[in-house]
Amino acid sequence: MEKESCTFSYCKKPEIVVHETDILILGGGMSACGAAFEAARWGNPQKMRITMVDKAATDRSGAVAMGLSAINTYMGENDPADYVKMVRGDLMGITREDLVYDLGRHVDDSVELFEEWGLPIWKKAADGHTMDGAQEAPKLSEGGKPVRSGKWQIMINGESYKVIVAEAAKVALKTNRDATGVAENHFERVFVVKLLLDEKVPNRIAGAVGFSVRENKIYIFKANTILSGTGGAVNVFRPRSTQEGQGRAWYPVWNSGSGYALGIQVGAELTMMENRFVPARFKDGYGPVGAWFLFFKAKATNAYGEDYCVGENFEYTKKLYSPYAEKMGTAIRNHMMMMDMKAGKGPILMNTHHAMAELAKTMDAKQIKHLEAEAWEDFLDMAIGQAGVWAGNDVEPDKSPSEIMPTEPYLLGSHAGCAGFWCSGPDDIGAPAEYNWGYNRMSTVNGLFMMGDICGASGHKFSSGSHAEGRIAAKSGVAFVLDNKGFKPTVTKSPDDLAAEIYLPFEVYEKYKTYSTAPEVNPYYIKPKMLQARMQKIADEYFGGVGTWYMTSATMLESGLKQLAILKEDAALSGAKDLHELMRAWENYHRIWSIEAHARHIQFREESRYPGYYYRGDFLAINDKDWKCFVNSKFDPATGDWKCFKKEYKQLIPD
Ligand code: SFD
Ligand code: AMP
């Protein structure tokens, strides 16, 4: 089909805003809010201009939009070296221990700030009983003891978690406006479409372009450095939910792979993109299980009341996945759950009723009532839909068990997954030169930093760690700007050309919309909803989604990648009828880049490193001899080539 271009003959030309800044923070989630706070702290005295751009409203954007009921990374009495051991064990032996250690030694400072800013954190009373955040107790920074659900996790009343963290970021951005006299430096509801490389200095970031999802405006940001915290990729695989329920997934549906796509397209090196996260979740509402396993001490069993992580299942698992099976990490637990489901022993049940009966043994009536409220609040704080599913199905957690099952796969690097970019680490903990070639958290593109979900090979940061990582990146970003003070970004592509590229789906739609009677079906364009369905079907059926029980192979990947190449061509013919669909069109485009990277990495790694997340049917076991290494890749923006290669793994923290 003919290549379409936008000459604004059919759609209206948008207003074009050019904004210059020293530091450009992309995203407004946990890492970006941490970055704004820290960048202002170091940048304000230097009169550095700091700008944040979020596709949504920062108060409720990103994964923490609904709130959370636990902070999953708080060191407290623990040693960061033990944290590294836990992360290494959970991520099947391969992790960037320098990045993980660095995060461990900084994360508590962020958690203490959250409390300072008003987040209620549960505390242990002197007699050992639990006090929720409403009760008066010393702060963590004053020696208050948090209520631990697990070794690393602490309980919070977190419905307003994101609003609290966003407020601190917004205040920081305001202090930067005051320090620099800039009129506006916080752009909400602006979707970033692509990054711009400098046209004079090779491999050097120069800016980003995006569009308002509310007004007819294009934004061109020119920057000395960019800190990207634009999150992971959700809805790349066909979700388990169908029809109107498709708006529900565990991870946030609005994190659409921008984080990956923006960096890939300018040639930033990726690491461990073969990894994904398949969480076990309460069925249909996607309610998290951690609080139930760790805090309420509930046990999950098959339909016959049997523990699926012991006996024959475990013996078989050890044969293929030792010595990692013994760590009983997230992927391995999933794997054994799937074994029972495939053997017809489902549904898998979380025995909430047994757990609550056990806890109630030592409680009076009032305390039992409180316990019931906490069980509901666990979901009301972070997965409200799950509370709806319970209410709609007459489930009383103290009386009956609830079904759990593995979800569709998500790409992320801050929860129990590690897909992301290869970033430089700290220079003071003995890491090899390949791990530390520049500024902390800088990608292989000069001036482009990665944080949170997209800083790779360093999972288990969660909300608090992502915030802390944003702060680490921002401090390095400030140093980078100071060291490159004279830099003037060179972007020769005209603002009109950039606007035409972004608005192409409008032009295509307006040009052809009368060629058919139903605007959803047209030979000249594809609407975002249909394109997304096609992408999800390819990912699900060829790259190991729920439809194949997470199974794929060299031949399946090859076929799927062929289909994806055709889909990518068709994506250039996306049609959008309004700003919302324009965003959907570009989100899809970002998702396609993310899933392509994922498939290419799985294709390269000839083993099944993450059973329970995905399987290579042609290499079903783990093969440490050949594959105890990182798989990295790089797309070359000049030639369009994409290369995968091995990178050596070095253990820095002894067992
Ligand atoms: O229970 C663009 N997470 C949990 N962390 C915890 O500490 N405790 C928990 O209890 C956690 N659980 C949990 C969690 C997440 C979710 C969804 C649920 C439950 C239901 C994980 C954390 O939330 C996660 O680790 C961090 O939030 C990751 O931080 P970061 O900064 O990497 O991503 P983000 O916060 O999602 O923010 C992304 C931002 O980017 C914006 N954005 N902006 C402009 N242009 C574009 N093209 C953009 N694309 C994206 C977004 O708007 C957003 O602001 S539990 O399951 O374990
Ligand atoms: P989740 O709610 O599943 O996202 O988990 C929240 C936290 O609890 C994360 O730190 C998980 O790694 C941890 N977690 C969840 N389930 C278990 C389990 N069965 N055993 C140990 N840790 C768990």
Side-chain angles (χ1 to χ4, degrees), residues 232-237 249-257 408-411 532 536 591:
V234 180
N235 267 335
V236 276
F237 281 85
W250 164 70
Y251 221 44
V253 289
W254 42 83
N255 282 5
S256 53
E408 63 277 3
Y410 309 109
L411 307 181
Q532 190 183 52
Q536 290 178 344
R591 286 192 173 99

PDB file of all heavy atoms in Angstrom, residues 232-237 249-257 408-411 532 536 591:
ATOM      1  N   GLY A 232       6.534   0.203  32.538  1.00  0.00           N
ATOM      2  CA  GLY A 232       6.628  -1.060  31.803  1.00  0.00           C
ATOM      3  C   GLY A 232       5.570  -1.186  30.720  1.00  0.00           C
ATOM      4  O   GLY A 232       5.001  -0.189  30.277  1.00  0.00           O
ATOM      5  N   ALA A 233       5.324  -2.424  30.284  1.00  0.00           N
ATOM      6  CA  ALA A 233       4.393  -2.645  29.163  1.00  0.00           C
ATOM      7  C   ALA A 233       3.285  -3.621  29.571  1.00  0.00           C
ATOM      8  O   ALA A 233       3.544  -4.787  29.891  1.00  0.00           O
ATOM      9  CB  ALA A 233       5.151  -3.176  27.959  1.00  0.00           C
ATOM     10  N   VAL A 234       2.063  -3.102  29.545  1.00  0.00           N
ATOM     11  CA  VAL A 234       0.872  -3.891  29.899  1.00  0.00           C
ATOM     12  C   VAL A 234       0.020  -4.014  28.640  1.00  0.00           C
ATOM     13  O   VAL A 234       0.072  -3.156  27.760  1.00  0.00           O
ATOM     14  CB  VAL A 234       0.091  -3.175  31.020  1.00  0.00           C
ATOM     15  CG1 VAL A 234      -1.156  -3.957  31.421  1.00  0.00           C
ATOM     16  CG2 VAL A 234       0.993  -2.950  32.214  1.00  0.00           C
ATOM     17  N   ASN A 235      -0.774  -5.089  28.567  1.00  0.00           N
ATOM     18  CA  ASN A 235      -1.634  -5.314  27.398  1.00  0.00           C
ATOM     19  C   ASN A 235      -0.843  -5.540  26.115  1.00  0.00           C
ATOM     20  O   ASN A 235      -1.317  -5.224  25.030  1.00  0.00           O
ATOM     21  CB  ASN A 235      -2.619  -4.154  27.209  1.00  0.00           C
ATOM     22  CG  ASN A 235      -3.937  -4.444  27.901  1.00  0.00           C
ATOM     23  OD1 ASN A 235      -4.289  -5.601  28.097  1.00  0.00           O
ATOM     24  ND2 ASN A 235      -4.658  -3.413  28.280  1.00  0.00           N
ATOM     25  N   VAL A 236       0.378  -6.073  26.254  1.00  0.00           N
ATOM     26  CA  VAL A 236       1.102  -6.508  25.064  1.00  0.00           C
ATOM     27  C   VAL A 236       0.667  -7.934  24.706  1.00  0.00           C
ATOM     28  O   VAL A 236       0.639  -8.314  23.544  1.00  0.00           O
ATOM     29  CB  VAL A 236       2.642  -6.455  25.237  1.00  0.00           C
ATOM     30  CG1 VAL A 236       3.185  -5.073  24.968  1.00  0.00           C
ATOM     31  CG2 VAL A 236       3.082  -6.923  26.608  1.00  0.00           C
ATOM     32  N   PHE A 237       0.361  -8.712  25.739  1.00  0.00           N
ATOM     33  CA  PHE A 237      -0.178 -10.052  25.518  1.00  0.00           C
ATOM     34  C   PHE A 237      -1.694 -10.006  25.651  1.00  0.00           C
ATOM     35  O   PHE A 237      -2.229  -9.173  26.390  1.00  0.00           O
ATOM     36  CB  PHE A 237       0.373 -11.021  26.574  1.00  0.00           C
ATOM     37  CG  PHE A 237       1.768 -11.475  26.273  1.00  0.00           C
ATOM     38  CD1 PHE A 237       2.866 -10.719  26.667  1.00  0.00           C
ATOM     39  CD2 PHE A 237       1.988 -12.652  25.577  1.00  0.00           C
ATOM     40  CE1 PHE A 237       4.154 -11.131  26.379  1.00  0.00           C
ATOM     41  CE2 PHE A 237       3.278 -13.068  25.281  1.00  0.00           C
ATOM     42  CZ  PHE A 237       4.355 -12.316  25.688  1.00  0.00           C
ATOM     43  N   ALA A 249      -6.433  -5.189  34.392  1.00  0.00           N
ATOM     44  CA  ALA A 249      -5.270  -6.069  34.348  1.00  0.00           C
ATOM     45  C   ALA A 249      -4.613  -5.887  35.706  1.00  0.00           C
ATOM     46  O   ALA A 249      -5.017  -5.010  36.476  1.00  0.00           O
ATOM     47  CB  ALA A 249      -4.335  -5.654  33.227  1.00  0.00           C
ATOM     48  N   TRP A 250      -3.581  -6.672  36.022  1.00  0.00           N
ATOM     49  CA  TRP A 250      -2.935  -6.399  37.312  1.00  0.00           C
ATOM     50  C   TRP A 250      -2.119  -5.120  37.211  1.00  0.00           C
ATOM     51  O   TRP A 250      -2.304  -4.186  37.967  1.00  0.00           O
ATOM     52  CB  TRP A 250      -2.053  -7.581  37.762  1.00  0.00           C
ATOM     53  CG  TRP A 250      -1.112  -7.141  38.863  1.00  0.00           C
ATOM     54  CD1 TRP A 250      -1.467  -6.814  40.147  1.00  0.00           C
ATOM     55  CD2 TRP A 250       0.290  -6.892  38.746  1.00  0.00           C
ATOM     56  NE1 TRP A 250      -0.355  -6.381  40.850  1.00  0.00           N
ATOM     57  CE2 TRP A 250       0.736  -6.421  40.016  1.00  0.00           C
ATOM     58  CE3 TRP A 250       1.210  -7.035  37.708  1.00  0.00           C
ATOM     59  CZ2 TRP A 250       2.061  -6.088  40.257  1.00  0.00           C
ATOM     60  CZ3 TRP A 250       2.530  -6.710  37.954  1.00  0.00           C
ATOM     61  CH2 TRP A 250       2.936  -6.241  39.220  1.00  0.00           C
ATOM     62  N   TYR A 251      -1.190  -5.070  36.234  1.00  0.00           N
ATOM     63  CA  TYR A 251      -0.359  -3.874  36.124  1.00  0.00           C
ATOM     64  C   TYR A 251      -1.159  -2.798  35.391  1.00  0.00           C
ATOM     65  O   TYR A 251      -2.156  -3.086  34.743  1.00  0.00           O
ATOM     66  CB  TYR A 251       0.968  -4.229  35.422  1.00  0.00           C
ATOM     67  CG  TYR A 251       2.166  -3.539  36.058  1.00  0.00           C
ATOM     68  CD1 TYR A 251       2.306  -3.493  37.433  1.00  0.00           C
ATOM     69  CD2 TYR A 251       3.130  -2.914  35.282  1.00  0.00           C
ATOM     70  CE1 TYR A 251       3.378  -2.848  38.025  1.00  0.00           C
ATOM     71  CE2 TYR A 251       4.213  -2.266  35.872  1.00  0.00           C
ATOM     72  CZ  TYR A 251       4.329  -2.237  37.256  1.00  0.00           C
ATOM     73  OH  TYR A 251       5.388  -1.585  37.834  1.00  0.00           O
ATOM     74  N   PRO A 252      -0.762  -1.529  35.463  1.00  0.00           N
ATOM     75  CA  PRO A 252      -1.623  -0.473  34.946  1.00  0.00           C
ATOM     76  C   PRO A 252      -1.707  -0.466  33.422  1.00  0.00           C
ATOM     77  O   PRO A 252      -0.691  -0.411  32.732  1.00  0.00           O
ATOM     78  CB  PRO A 252      -0.935   0.798  35.439  1.00  0.00           C
ATOM     79  CG  PRO A 252       0.481   0.415  35.612  1.00  0.00           C
ATOM     80  CD  PRO A 252       0.483  -1.012  36.040  1.00  0.00           C
ATOM     81  N   VAL A 253      -2.938  -0.486  32.928  1.00  0.00           N
ATOM     82  CA  VAL A 253      -3.148  -0.615  31.475  1.00  0.00           C
ATOM     83  C   VAL A 253      -2.585   0.579  30.709  1.00  0.00           C
ATOM     84  O   VAL A 253      -2.353   0.503  29.514  1.00  0.00           O
ATOM     85  CB  VAL A 253      -4.645  -0.785  31.143  1.00  0.00           C
ATOM     86  CG1 VAL A 253      -5.115  -2.145  31.577  1.00  0.00           C
ATOM     87  CG2 VAL A 253      -5.489   0.308  31.792  1.00  0.00           C
ATOM     88  N   TRP A 254      -2.384   1.686  31.389  1.00  0.00           N
ATOM     89  CA  TRP A 254      -1.887   2.872  30.688  1.00  0.00           C
ATOM     90  C   TRP A 254      -0.364   2.875  30.574  1.00  0.00           C
ATOM     91  O   TRP A 254       0.185   3.766  29.942  1.00  0.00           O
ATOM     92  CB  TRP A 254      -2.379   4.156  31.382  1.00  0.00           C
ATOM     93  CG  TRP A 254      -2.303   4.070  32.874  1.00  0.00           C
ATOM     94  CD1 TRP A 254      -1.219   4.294  33.641  1.00  0.00           C
ATOM     95  CD2 TRP A 254      -3.360   3.714  33.761  1.00  0.00           C
ATOM     96  NE1 TRP A 254      -1.516   4.099  34.956  1.00  0.00           N
ATOM     97  CE2 TRP A 254      -2.841   3.745  35.056  1.00  0.00           C
ATOM     98  CE3 TRP A 254      -4.711   3.371  33.572  1.00  0.00           C
ATOM     99  CZ2 TRP A 254      -3.610   3.440  36.188  1.00  0.00           C
ATOM    100  CZ3 TRP A 254      -5.468   3.068  34.703  1.00  0.00           C
ATOM    101  CH2 TRP A 254      -4.911   3.111  35.983  1.00  0.00           C
ATOM    102  N   ASN A 255       0.328   1.927  31.177  1.00  0.00           N
ATOM    103  CA  ASN A 255       1.780   1.808  30.942  1.00  0.00           C
ATOM    104  C   ASN A 255       1.965   0.925  29.717  1.00  0.00           C
ATOM    105  O   ASN A 255       1.853  -0.294  29.772  1.00  0.00           O
ATOM    106  CB  ASN A 255       2.497   1.254  32.171  1.00  0.00           C
ATOM    107  CG  ASN A 255       2.687   2.324  33.240  1.00  0.00           C
ATOM    108  OD1 ASN A 255       2.211   3.442  33.091  1.00  0.00           O
ATOM    109  ND2 ASN A 255       3.371   1.975  34.314  1.00  0.00           N
ATOM    110  N   SER A 256       2.225   1.568  28.591  1.00  0.00           N
ATOM    111  CA  SER A 256       2.045   0.895  27.305  1.00  0.00           C
ATOM    112  C   SER A 256       3.362   0.646  26.570  1.00  0.00           C
ATOM    113  O   SER A 256       3.395   0.638  25.350  1.00  0.00           O
ATOM    114  CB  SER A 256       1.126   1.756  26.444  1.00  0.00           C
ATOM    115  OG  SER A 256       1.645   3.077  26.394  1.00  0.00           O
ATOM    116  N   GLY A 257       4.433   0.460  27.333  1.00  0.00           N
ATOM    117  CA  GLY A 257       5.706   0.134  26.683  1.00  0.00           C
ATOM    118  C   GLY A 257       6.464   1.348  26.176  1.00  0.00           C
ATOM    119  O   GLY A 257       7.497   1.205  25.526  1.00  0.00           O
ATOM    120  N   GLU A 408      -1.843 -12.905  32.525  1.00  0.00           N
ATOM    121  CA  GLU A 408      -1.111 -12.739  31.270  1.00  0.00           C
ATOM    122  C   GLU A 408       0.241 -12.080  31.597  1.00  0.00           C
ATOM    123  O   GLU A 408       0.366 -11.428  32.637  1.00  0.00           O
ATOM    124  CB  GLU A 408      -1.907 -11.868  30.285  1.00  0.00           C
ATOM    125  CG  GLU A 408      -2.162 -10.446  30.735  1.00  0.00           C
ATOM    126  CD  GLU A 408      -3.370 -10.317  31.667  1.00  0.00           C
ATOM    127  OE1 GLU A 408      -3.985 -11.352  32.008  1.00  0.00           O
ATOM    128  OE2 GLU A 408      -3.685  -9.189  32.086  1.00  0.00           O
ATOM    129  N   PRO A 409       1.237 -12.224  30.733  1.00  0.00           N
ATOM    130  CA  PRO A 409       2.563 -11.660  31.037  1.00  0.00           C
ATOM    131  C   PRO A 409       2.637 -10.135  30.901  1.00  0.00           C
ATOM    132  O   PRO A 409       1.978  -9.556  30.030  1.00  0.00           O
ATOM    133  CB  PRO A 409       3.472 -12.297  29.981  1.00  0.00           C
ATOM    134  CG  PRO A 409       2.698 -13.430  29.390  1.00  0.00           C
ATOM    135  CD  PRO A 409       1.252 -13.059  29.509  1.00  0.00           C
ATOM    136  N   TYR A 410       3.435  -9.535  31.752  1.00  0.00           N
ATOM    137  CA  TYR A 410       3.734  -8.095  31.672  1.00  0.00           C
ATOM    138  C   TYR A 410       5.242  -7.921  31.545  1.00  0.00           C
ATOM    139  O   TYR A 410       6.018  -8.733  32.065  1.00  0.00           O
ATOM    140  CB  TYR A 410       3.264  -7.370  32.946  1.00  0.00           C
ATOM    141  CG  TYR A 410       1.830  -7.661  33.324  1.00  0.00           C
ATOM    142  CD1 TYR A 410       1.522  -8.433  34.439  1.00  0.00           C
ATOM    143  CD2 TYR A 410       0.776  -7.171  32.553  1.00  0.00           C
ATOM    144  CE1 TYR A 410       0.198  -8.707  34.782  1.00  0.00           C
ATOM    145  CE2 TYR A 410      -0.544  -7.435  32.887  1.00  0.00           C
ATOM    146  CZ  TYR A 410      -0.835  -8.211  34.001  1.00  0.00           C
ATOM    147  OH  TYR A 410      -2.136  -8.482  34.326  1.00  0.00           O
ATOM    148  N   LEU A 411       5.662  -6.844  30.884  1.00  0.00           N
ATOM    149  CA  LEU A 411       7.093  -6.529  30.804  1.00  0.00           C
ATOM    150  C   LEU A 411       7.377  -5.412  31.791  1.00  0.00           C
ATOM    151  O   LEU A 411       6.776  -4.334  31.702  1.00  0.00           O
ATOM    152  CB  LEU A 411       7.465  -6.081  29.390  1.00  0.00           C
ATOM    153  CG  LEU A 411       7.062  -7.034  28.257  1.00  0.00           C
ATOM    154  CD1 LEU A 411       7.516  -6.482  26.907  1.00  0.00           C
ATOM    155  CD2 LEU A 411       7.663  -8.418  28.479  1.00  0.00           C
ATOM    156  N   GLN A 532      -4.495  -3.411  18.196  1.00  0.00           N
ATOM    157  CA  GLN A 532      -4.100  -3.974  19.487  1.00  0.00           C
ATOM    158  C   GLN A 532      -4.518  -5.437  19.604  1.00  0.00           C
ATOM    159  O   GLN A 532      -3.756  -6.281  20.078  1.00  0.00           O
ATOM    160  CB  GLN A 532      -4.705  -3.162  20.638  1.00  0.00           C
ATOM    161  CG  GLN A 532      -4.116  -3.592  21.969  1.00  0.00           C
ATOM    162  CD  GLN A 532      -4.724  -2.868  23.148  1.00  0.00           C
ATOM    163  OE1 GLN A 532      -5.943  -2.812  23.309  1.00  0.00           O
ATOM    164  NE2 GLN A 532      -3.899  -2.295  23.972  1.00  0.00           N
ATOM    165  N   GLN A 536      -1.970  -8.498  20.256  1.00  0.00           N
ATOM    166  CA  GLN A 536      -2.116  -9.388  21.419  1.00  0.00           C
ATOM    167  C   GLN A 536      -2.279 -10.841  20.992  1.00  0.00           C
ATOM    168  O   GLN A 536      -1.807 -11.756  21.664  1.00  0.00           O
ATOM    169  CB  GLN A 536      -3.322  -8.938  22.250  1.00  0.00           C
ATOM    170  CG  GLN A 536      -3.079  -7.618  22.965  1.00  0.00           C
ATOM    171  CD  GLN A 536      -4.285  -7.148  23.750  1.00  0.00           C
ATOM    172  OE1 GLN A 536      -5.405  -7.623  23.560  1.00  0.00           O
ATOM    173  NE2 GLN A 536      -4.065  -6.193  24.634  1.00  0.00           N
ATOM    174  N   ARG A 591       3.957  -0.436  22.189  1.00  0.00           N
ATOM    175  CA  ARG A 591       3.816  -1.832  22.624  1.00  0.00           C
ATOM    176  C   ARG A 591       4.478  -2.779  21.616  1.00  0.00           C
ATOM    177  O   ARG A 591       5.106  -3.764  21.993  1.00  0.00           O
ATOM    178  CB  ARG A 591       2.338  -2.200  22.746  1.00  0.00           C
ATOM    179  CG  ARG A 591       1.656  -1.616  23.951  1.00  0.00           C
ATOM    180  CD  ARG A 591       0.286  -2.258  24.153  1.00  0.00           C
ATOM    181  NE  ARG A 591      -0.289  -1.801  25.409  1.00  0.00           N
ATOM    182  CZ  ARG A 591      -1.191  -0.817  25.502  1.00  0.00           C
ATOM    183  NH1 ARG A 591      -1.642  -0.198  24.433  1.00  0.00           N
ATOM    184  NH2 ARG A 591      -1.652  -0.466  26.686  1.00  0.00           N
TER     185      ARG A 591
END
